[in-house]
């Protein structure tokens, strides 16, 4: 099955989307967003995999002696993780403020705008 | 209402799933041989004497992107600090030290220096071995917080002067920009890795500007994580809502 890893990424993404849409708790929603994001890690790493490949680090293997996996998508995954972590922190800070100002973290109960 | 919403979600989700599967079928096969960008990136990394190709991609070939990533991180931390600051109807309360189980205390205090050194090691060897500023920064910053687990919040606050970490966060971002500008002043392009000698392959000083940019990122990430966790911990431990308001 040569598309299975990609399908896993799609499945993880859709699971996260389902959780986001049906979430009754903002902290849970932030967690679901993190699930959606982790599907992109699976996709990127699956795209970069090469049969029999090892890590693209040449401190202990001789250059050219073994196939290495694609370093570009690994770097992209790293970017993804860092941005994901900081955005999660920012969203959690927002949830904290909402919980303080409105006394609830259920998105359905947040109807009116308040200063 | 709720049923309608679920039905809408099912329709949209099925459509999205169909599109994603169609896209997956068109992707190059898993584990294939052809990786044109990867091959070129490895080649470029080896010509610039950087053993860790990922560090070379991040701090040399795509250093400009990393600048953007770092700005996102800086902005997000700034946003958190603003959102989590003490509001007018809140006051600070001195946290009471709690009893820590002896094995937890012992383990935390033994592991703390080890974790801290590991973090700094990972930052310093970013151009050689897997890891780098991002990962090492997180390890070093979280190592400090073992003090919170092993001792108490006051002890953590003593080793973590917040203004110092906020300043070093900003300074690290500026250092990254300055290193980029140094290239412009030296007659090459912004963030181009051509100013410094590439050094001997597989030694600490290899890779030209890569170790320096890596160190800047390491300091930024470590300070940012400390500042972030400090603000969240303040909310949990110190800041209390004013009663009767």
């Amino acid at each position: 099955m040569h598309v299975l890893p990609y399908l896993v990424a799609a499945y993880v993404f859709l699971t996260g989307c389902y959780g986001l849409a049906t979430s009754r708790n903002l902290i849970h929603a932030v967690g679901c967003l993190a699930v959606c994001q982790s599907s992109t890690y699976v996709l990127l790493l699956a795209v970069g995999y090469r049969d029999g490949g090892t890590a693209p680090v040449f401190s202990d293997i001789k250059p050219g002696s073994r196939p290495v996996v694609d370093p570009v998508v690994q770097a992209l995954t790293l970017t993804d993780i860092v941005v994901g972590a900081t955005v999660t922190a920012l969203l959690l800070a927002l949830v904290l403020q909402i919980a303080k100002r409105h006394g609830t973290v259920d998105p359905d109960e947040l109807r009116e705008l308040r200063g | 209402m709720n049923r309608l919403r679920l039905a809408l979600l099912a329709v949209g989700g099925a459509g999205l799933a169909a599109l994603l599967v169609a896209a997956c079928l068109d992707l190059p096969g898993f584990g294939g041989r052809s990786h044109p960008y990867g091959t070129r990136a490895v080649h470029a990394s080896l010509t610039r004497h950087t053993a860790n190709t990922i560090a070379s991609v991040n701090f040399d070939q795509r250093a400009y992107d990393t600048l953007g990533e770092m700005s996102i991180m800086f902005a997000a931390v700034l946003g958190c600090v603003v959102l989590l600051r003490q509001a007018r109807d809140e006051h600070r309360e001195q946290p009471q030290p709690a009893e820590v189980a002896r094995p937890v205390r012992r383990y935390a205090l033994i592991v703390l220096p080890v974790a801290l050194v590991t973090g700094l090691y990972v930052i310093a060897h970013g151009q050689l071995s897997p890891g780098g500023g991002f990962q090492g920064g997180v390890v070093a910053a979280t190592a400090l917080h073992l003090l919170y687990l092993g001792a108490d919040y006051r002890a953590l606050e003593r080793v973590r002067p917040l203004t110092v970490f906020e300043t070093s966060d900003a300074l690290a971002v500026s250092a990254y920009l300055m290193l980029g500008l140094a290239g412009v002043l030296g007659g090459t392009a912004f963030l181009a890795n051509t100013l410094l000698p590439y050094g001997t392959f597989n030694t600490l000083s290899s890779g030209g500007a890569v170790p320096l940019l890596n160190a800047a990122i390491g300091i930024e990430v470590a300070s940012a994580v400390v500042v972030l966790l400090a603000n969240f911990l303040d909310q949990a431990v110190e800041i209390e809502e004013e009663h009767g308001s």
Side-chain angles (χ1 to χ4, degrees), chain B residues 5-226:
Chain B
R5 194 197 277 180
L6 266 180
L8 200 65
L9 177 66
V11 172
L16 183 61
L19 286 175
L20 282 176
V21 169
C24 285
L25 293 176
D26 253 5
L27 278 171
F30 178 67
R33 307 225 134 260
S34 165
H35 289 278
Y37 292 115
T39 315
R40 285 182 176 82
V42 167
H43 180 73
S45 151
L46 289 175
T47 54
R48 288 167 187 187
H49 299 196
T50 314
N52 181 359
T53 314
I54 299 156
S56 171
V57 171
N58 268 330
F59 300 115
D60 180 356
Q61 301 161 33
R62 286 179 62 240
Y64 195 64
D65 285 8
T66 307
L67 177 66
E69 178 186 358
M70 174 172 187
S71 317
I72 293 175
M73 179 152 184
F74 188 71
V77 171
L78 198 64
C80 282
V81 170
V82 171
L83 278 172
L84 295 176
R85 73 194 188 284
Q86 187 178 354
R88 243 168 306 169
D89 53 353
E90 291 167 343
H91 67 279
R92 274 174 190 270
E93 217 150 78
Q94 210 53 262
Q96 295 303 318
E99 196 71 22
V100 183
R102 196 169 278 210
V104 174
R105 176 181 291 256
R106 207 179 300 141
Y107 179 74
L109 294 183
I110 291 171
V111 171
L112 193 154
V114 180
L116 198 59
V117 171
T118 308
L120 296 177
Y121 175 90
V122 171
I123 296 176
H125 289 72
Q127 71 279 21
L128 301 177
S129 55
F134 289 110
Q135 300 90 327
V138 174
V139 175
T142 41
L144 280 186
H145 291 83
L146 282 170
L147 206 55
Y148 173 56
L149 295 182
D152 67 351
Y153 196 58
R154 303 287 302 279
L156 175 65
E157 277 185 325
R158 267 203 294 278
V159 299
R160 188 204 63 187
L162 213 47
T163 20
V164 173
F165 280 97
E166 280 167 353
T167 318
S168 74
D169 190 5
L171 282 180
V173 175
S174 331
Y176 195 97
L177 273 172
M178 287 301 166
L179 283 166
L181 282 175
V184 176
L185 294 178
T188 59
F190 183 63
L191 280 172
N193 185 10
T194 45
L195 201 61
L196 295 170
Y198 293 142
T200 318
F201 186 73
N202 214 357
T203 57
L204 261 187
S205 60
S206 63
V210 171
L212 296 177
L213 292 176
N214 189 35
I217 290 277
I219 296 170
E220 203 241 338
V221 172
S223 324
V225 171
V226 167

Side-chain angles (χ1 to χ4, degrees), chain A residues 2 6 14 21 46-47 49-51 56-59 70-71 74-76 78-79 82 86 89-90 96-97 100 108, chain B residues 5 9 17 24 28 30-31 33 35 38 51-54 57-58 62 69 73 76 80 83 90 128 134 202 232 235:
Chain A
H2 271 273
Y6 306 137
L14 288 171
V47 166
Y49 184 70
R50 183 182 269 186
D51 283 329
V57 176
F58 296 101
S59 50
D70 197 330
Q74 299 222 336
L76 289 177
L78 185 60
T79 308
V82 174
T86 47
L90 192 60
L96 225 118
Q97 280 297 329
K100 269 195 212 166
D108 283 342
Chain B
R5 194 197 277 180
L9 177 66
C24 285
F30 178 67
R33 307 225 134 260
H35 289 278
N52 181 359
T53 314
I54 299 156
V57 171
N58 268 330
R62 286 179 62 240
E69 178 186 358
M73 179 152 184
C80 282
L83 278 172
E90 291 167 343
L128 301 177
F134 289 110
N202 214 357
F232 276 105
Q235 288 285 332

Side-chain angles (χ1 to χ4, degrees), chain A residues 29-85:
Chain A
V30 175
C32 290
L33 194 67
V35 171
C36 280
Q37 187 139 31
S38 41
S39 77
T40 58
Y41 311 154
V42 177
L43 181 69
L44 281 170
L45 296 179
V47 166
Y49 184 70
R50 183 182 269 186
D51 283 329
T54 183
V57 176
F58 296 101
S59 50
D60 49 3
I61 59 168
K62 236 171 77 97
S65 62
R66 284 192 62 180
V68 291
V69 298
D70 197 330
V72 177
V73 286
Q74 299 222 336
L76 289 177
T77 311
L78 185 60
T79 308
D80 199 351
I81 292 172
V82 174
V83 172

